[in-house]
């Protein structure tokens, strides 16, 4: 079916009940006696077709549903359904209620995800409410008692599958996921340049252990949080009837809360881009869920997390070489900032002059990455503008 990008509709899916696949109409999760009265293309979603389905219930009342259809991997719809179901468990009403997923009876190459329809406005949600709700979701998910990092099904960010295999440590999970993304990116782009190859080994051998291992050693522990997985302003809105913030288009996993609460926010925090979050949003979130210790590594950890977004977007947009260049740029700065890796961190802490020595190391890293007051704004202006021009 052809998507009309200007109108944001799918003309072929407008019509009456016979346009809705029998596997959707007959789904046991729908109220008995429901009758489809209309369908129409609604909104726009990258790489999927989106439809509003209006029904008449047995008691005569009306109820609407929102349908996403993909002719790609079946796991795309399963992953989003399971993600939204998990989020609803710990943050009721923060997402539209997920109902079902499955495959079309008439065309088995099409797969669907059905959820309740929530009428949304076109504005970014109110900052305090959204940040509080997001932090509460992360903290509430700890009640599940999940002790590993990963997810029970494959999820997709856009059309890119994520490696959600379970890991015992966040460092292991992040490193494996980054290697997975490197492999996918190489398939859609040219082979890595010598410049790119030069940063890969120290990135894995020095930078990742230096920035992630301290959070899980010396008596520290990361409690896995359920994260959205693709948190940016385009995946948020406000319910016009309840005035409550909403999130959607999730590709969740159990990970470090800063992945969503900091990393994905940070890549949207710039002036003069299509992104509408600002650094104030990050600060608001951190009021409710402070940065993990050692907190002085927060900006650098966020820079590290953004590298995976660069590779993912490079895989999604093979015609655009910017994302690979941005990956190389940021990776080089991280490698230069932390040449001694985790061993250097331990060495600095183990000396009598630990305070001065470690502070010098941190100052060098901060100088390379940017002022702690400005965060990563200047460093990532190019990255954020590139995301703003291509993501949707």
């Amino acid at each position: 079916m052809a998507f009309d990008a200007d109108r944001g509709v799918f003309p072929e899916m407008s019509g009456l009940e016979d346009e809705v696949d029998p596997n959707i109409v007959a789904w046991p999760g729908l109220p008995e006696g429901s009758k489809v009265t209309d369908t129409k293309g609604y909104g726009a979603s990258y790489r999927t077709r989106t439809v509003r389905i209006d029904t008449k219930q047995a008691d005569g009342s009306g109820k609407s549903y929102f349908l996403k259809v993909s002719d790609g991997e079946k796991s795309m719809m399963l992953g989003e359904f399971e993600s939204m179901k998990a989020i609803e468990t710990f943050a009721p009403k923060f997402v539209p209620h997920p109902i079902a997923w499955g495959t079309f009876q008439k065309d088995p190459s099409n797969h669907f995800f059905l959820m309740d329809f929530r009428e949304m406005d076109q504005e970014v949600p109110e900052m305090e409410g959204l940040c509080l709700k997001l932090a509460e979701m992360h903290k509430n998910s700890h009640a599940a008692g999940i002790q590993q990092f990963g997810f029970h099904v494959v999820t997709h960010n856009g059309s890119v599958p994520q490696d959600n295999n379970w890991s015992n440590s966040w460092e292991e999970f992040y490193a494996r996921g980054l290697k997975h993304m490197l492999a996918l990116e190489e398939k859609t782009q040219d082979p890595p340049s010598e410049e790119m190859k030069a940063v890969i080994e120290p990135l894995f051998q020095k930078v990742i252990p230096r920035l992630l291992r301290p959070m899980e050693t010396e008596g520290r522990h990361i409690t896995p949080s359920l994260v959205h997985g693709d948190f940016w302003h385009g995946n948020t809105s406000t319910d016009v009837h309840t005035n409550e913030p909403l999130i959607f288009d999730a590709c969740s996993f159990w990970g470090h809360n800063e992945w969503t609460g900091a990393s994905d926010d940070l890549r949207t925090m710039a002036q003069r881009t299509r992104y509408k979050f600002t650094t104030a949003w990050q600060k608001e979130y951190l009021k409710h869920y402070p940065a993990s210790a050692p907190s002085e590594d927060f900006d650098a950890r966020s820079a590290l997390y953004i590298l995976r977004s660069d590779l993912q977007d490079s895989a999604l947009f093979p015609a655009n070489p910017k994302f690979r260049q941005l990956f190389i740029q940021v990776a080089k700065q991280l490698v230069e900032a932390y040449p001694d890796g985790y061993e250097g961190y331990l060495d600095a802490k183990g000396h009598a002059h630990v305070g001065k020595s470690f502070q010098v190391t941190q100052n060098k890293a901060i100088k390379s990455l940017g002022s702690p007051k400005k965060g990563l704004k200047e460093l990532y202006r190019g990255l954020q503008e590139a995301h703003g021009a291509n993501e949707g």
Side-chain angles (χ1 to χ4, degrees), residues 153-166:
V153 298
V154 173
T155 56
H156 293 249
N157 198 318
S159 61
V160 178
Q162 312 295 297
D163 183 347
N164 289 333
N165 287 308
W166 293 101

Side-chain angles (χ1 to χ4, degrees), residues 92-382:
K93 300 185 179 180
F94 198 24
V95 293
H97 171 61
I99 298 173
W101 77 280
T103 298
F104 276 28
Q105 182 184 105
K106 294 181 178 179
D107 184 356
S109 68
N110 281 328
H111 314 289
F112 68 88
F113 168 39
L114 184 69
M115 68 196 93
D116 280 348
F117 177 81
R118 299 275 294 272
E119 188 173 356
M120 307 176 191
D121 65 21
Q122 300 300 311
E123 302 299 324
V124 175
E126 177 265 333
M127 180 178 70
E128 290 80 3
L130 180 62
C131 292
L132 173 61
K133 197 79 172 177
L134 183 65
E136 287 180 341
M137 180 188 90
H138 292 156
K139 291 189 286 188
N140 289 347
S141 69
H142 298 171
I146 301 297
Q147 298 299 314
Q148 291 182 301
F149 300 91
F151 204 58
H152 59 286
V153 298
V154 173
T155 56
H156 293 249
N157 198 318
S159 61
V160 178
Q162 312 295 297
D163 183 347
N164 289 333
N165 287 308
W166 293 101
S167 300
N168 290 321
S169 75
W170 172 241
E171 178 186 344
E172 176 191 349
F173 179 82
Y174 177 80
R176 193 182 64 241
L178 191 64
K179 288 179 181 178
H180 169 74
M181 206 56 64
L182 277 164
L184 293 179
E185 192 265 357
E186 187 174 347
K187 288 181 180 179
T188 62
Q189 298 285 358
D190 295 329
S193 64
E194 292 303 315
E195 185 182 25
M196 185 172 181
K197 290 179 181 178
V199 300
I200 298 300
E201 183 176 350
L203 180 64
F204 283 93
Q205 296 298 319
K206 299 293 184 181
V207 177
I208 291 177
R210 166 61 188 84
L211 293 176
L212 302 188
R213 197 170 299 172
M215 294 188 292
E216 298 182 282
T217 54
E218 304 176 288
R220 301 187 183 107
H221 172 71
I222 298 175
T223 300
S225 299
L226 180 69
V227 301
H228 178 281
D230 189 21
F231 184 79
W232 67 293
H233 85 263
N235 287 341
T236 69
S237 190
T238 302
D239 187 307
V240 300
H241 299 294
T242 66
N243 204 36
E244 294 178 332
L246 291 169
I247 58 176
F248 42 88
D249 287 356
C251 51
S252 295
F253 59 87
W254 294 89
H256 185 204
N257 71 292
E258 290 179 12
W259 177 265
T260 296
S263 171
D264 280 7
D265 282 359
L266 275 174
R267 72 186 175 97
T268 69
M269 292 177 182
Q271 302 294 330
R272 302 194 303 276
T273 74
R274 65 170 290 184
Y275 289 112
K276 300 178 183 179
F277 291 153
T278 66
T279 52
W281 292 69
Q282 181 195 56
K283 293 176 182 177
E284 184 64 27
Y285 173 86
L286 292 175
K287 290 180 183 177
H288 306 293
Y289 202 143
S292 298
S295 59
E296 60 267 25
D297 289 344
F298 176 79
D299 281 352
R301 287 196 300 263
S302 296
L304 176 64
Y305 294 167
I306 288 173
L307 290 181
R308 183 167 141 176
S309 293
D310 294 340
L311 291 174
Q312 178 177 280
D313 288 337
S314 184
L316 278 171
F317 306 105
N320 192 337
K322 283 185 178 180
F323 298 110
R324 176 176 280 191
Q325 287 304 313
L326 291 166
F327 169 86
I328 295 171
Q329 174 192 342
V330 177
K332 284 177 67 176
Q333 296 203 35
L334 286 168
V335 168
E336 291 169 2
Y338 299 100
D340 299 324
Y342 184 66
E343 292 75 13
Y345 167 82
L346 291 179
D347 182 64
K349 289 180 69 66
H351 285 79
H353 56 287
V354 53
K356 181 177 180 180
S357 175
F358 188 56
Q359 189 61 50
V360 169
T361 303
Q362 291 300 305
N363 286 342
K364 287 181 179 178
I366 290 171
K367 184 177 180 181
S368 174
L369 292 172
S371 164
K373 292 184 178 180
K374 294 183 179 179
L376 303 177
K377 180 177 177 180
E378 293 183 358
L379 178 61
Y380 297 117
R381 187 175 301 281

